[in-house]
Amino acid sequence: MISEEGVTRSVRPDIVELPSGPSLPRPGLLVVGVGGAGRHMAAQMPGERLTICQEGDTGIPGQRQVLLRKGELAVARTSSATALHVSDLPWKARLVDAIGRPDVMLLFSGMGGETGSCIAPLIAELAPFTTLTFASVCLPFSVEGPNRRSMAREGLARLRGAAHLVAVYANDPLIRLAPNLPLAKAFKVMDQIMLALPIDLSECLTTEAIPMLKGELGRRELRAGIGYGMGLEKERLAVEEALTSPWFPSEEFQPDSALMIVSQGRPDIGGLEDCAREMAGRLPVRKLLVSSRTDPSLDRRVRVSLMLGYRF
């Protein structure tokens, strides 16, 4: 907050629209799902997909997969990142070959189990030629015990050091988000939030926008929100709902940057501008990156997918 002639007002962020348009080059995308939770999320994403899971698990029908034996997972869990990088292991070579050299990798995983906590960071480390690695991970419920929470913390710390962008979704807020829903339906709500921004980003991302995303959101912990609006004030309503996400931390922690993607049923530059103004008036960040896309399934509604970057 600053004061000018006795009047207190909020500092408004710089609004920067990401380069977009059909004439700009688009990056090649690879969606990677690690473990059970990651496989479930990747199955709902468009585009080329790869699943990595334990031997005996079911992958995505018709999609590529790499199966790891329990002994191979044990090696990944008990070896340091440096040792794994210099080792000549057949299963590591299978992973490297399967990943290839995508421009952008969208990585989904649950943390807390052996596969996600150990293999998801390794996947990010084994993709040094990828221009942008964007990981979305969920953390275990507190009641799942200290061992899973500890493994999740260790995996997340390693993943932050390897991926360019890391979005974190704890399971505990599901209880606040949908207290009266059965857990299976609550997870569907979580799916909607976790998938919204990666899907929107995959539809509007251009090669020119990647350095801006890495520069403004990289090396931060990202938290997401999603909001819908309709009617005469649909932009305001969508922004308000996105800002109420249970995955945002308490107000004592303030984000320093943000990405907002506005999806509309029909092209409308005015809708993007209205959402940007509304968000800028409510969000105390240094810079707000914005983009938009058309999603005919929304009809007359507008959806705001929001990602906030924190330096904890």
Side-chain angles (χ1 to χ4, degrees):
M1 305 291 286
I2 62 174
S3 179
E4 182 176 335
E5 297 180 350
V7 178
T8 302
R9 61 183 177 86
S10 298
V11 178
R12 297 178 68 88
D14 292 331
I15 301 174
V16 179
E17 187 170 359
L18 294 177
S20 62
S23 62
L24 295 180
R26 301 287 300 277
L29 275 70
L30 174 64
V31 179
V32 180
V34 179
R39 181 179 68 242
H40 169 71
M41 300 301 297
Q44 302 175 70
M45 286 289 297
E48 182 185 2
R49 290 169 287 184
L50 169 69
T51 58
I52 300 166
C53 45
Q54 287 195 53
E55 197 172 43
D57 290 344
T58 303
I60 304 173
Q63 300 294 326
R64 297 185 298 122
Q65 64 179 357
V66 175
L67 300 178
L68 299 174
R69 300 182 182 90
K70 286 188 176 181
E72 294 168 340
L73 285 174
V75 172
R77 179 171 56 84
T78 57
S79 302
S80 68
T82 302
L84 287 173
H85 275 291
V86 300
S87 63
D88 186 17
L89 298 168
W91 60 267
K92 192 187 81 170
R94 297 204 313 271
L95 289 176
V96 172
D97 290 342
I99 297 168
R101 295 189 176 190
D103 298 321
V104 174
M105 181 166 63
L106 301 177
L107 177 63
F108 294 91
S109 180
M111 306 299 275
E114 188 175 56
T115 307
S117 300
C118 301
I119 300 301
L122 179 60
I123 295 302
E125 292 164 355
L126 293 177
F129 300 104
T130 298
T131 307
L132 177 68
T133 299
F134 181 8
S136 294
V137 298
C138 52
L139 305 181
F141 287 104
S142 295
V143 296
E144 293 184 66
N147 290 338
R148 285 183 64 86
R149 294 201 305 272
S150 176
M151 189 173 288
R153 285 194 298 269
E154 292 174 5
L156 181 57
R158 185 174 162 192
L159 183 61
R160 283 199 197 103
H164 300 107
L165 307 179
V166 180
V168 180
Y169 305 81
N171 277 339
D172 283 342
L174 280 176
I175 300 172
R176 302 197 305 272
L177 182 67
N180 299 318
L181 285 179
L183 194 58
K185 290 186 177 180
F187 275 121
K188 289 183 178 179
V189 175
M190 187 171 184
D191 286 356
Q192 184 184 40
I193 293 178
M194 283 189 70
L195 287 166
L197 196 135
I199 289 177
D200 290 345
L201 188 62
S202 68
E203 292 292 332
C204 65
L205 183 63
T206 63
T207 302
E208 289 186 25
I210 292 176
M212 299 172 65
L213 291 174
K214 292 165 66 174
E216 296 302 327
L217 296 173
R219 307 310 176 194
R220 294 163 174 81
E221 184 168 310
L222 305 179
R223 303 290 182 86
I226 181 175
Y228 289 86
M230 63 182 302
L232 295 178
E233 296 188 309
K234 57 183 181 293
E235 290 84 8
R236 179 183 64 80
L237 294 173
V239 167
E240 286 184 351
E241 185 177 14
L243 287 170
T244 63
S245 170
W247 282 279
F248 295 151
S250 61
E251 292 185 359
E252 65 180 296
F253 300 102
Q254 291 295 324
D256 66 354
S257 56
L259 166 66
M260 178 181 68
I261 299 179
V262 178
S263 301
Q264 303 170 96
R266 62 200 69 178
D268 180 10
I269 188 63
L272 173 61
E273 292 174 349
D274 289 345
C275 285
R277 282 194 297 268
E278 191 73 33
M279 187 65 75
R282 296 168 178 264
L283 197 58
V285 295
R286 175 180 50 81
K287 187 169 290 187
L288 172 63
L289 303 180
V290 301
S291 188
S292 64
R293 61 177 291 250
T294 302
D295 181 355
S297 68
L298 290 171
D299 193 20
R300 297 180 181 179
R301 296 181 299 161
V302 62
R303 178 176 66 241
V304 165
S305 298
L306 178 65
M307 191 71 75
L308 303 184
Y310 294 84
R311 292 186 183 275
F312 293 125

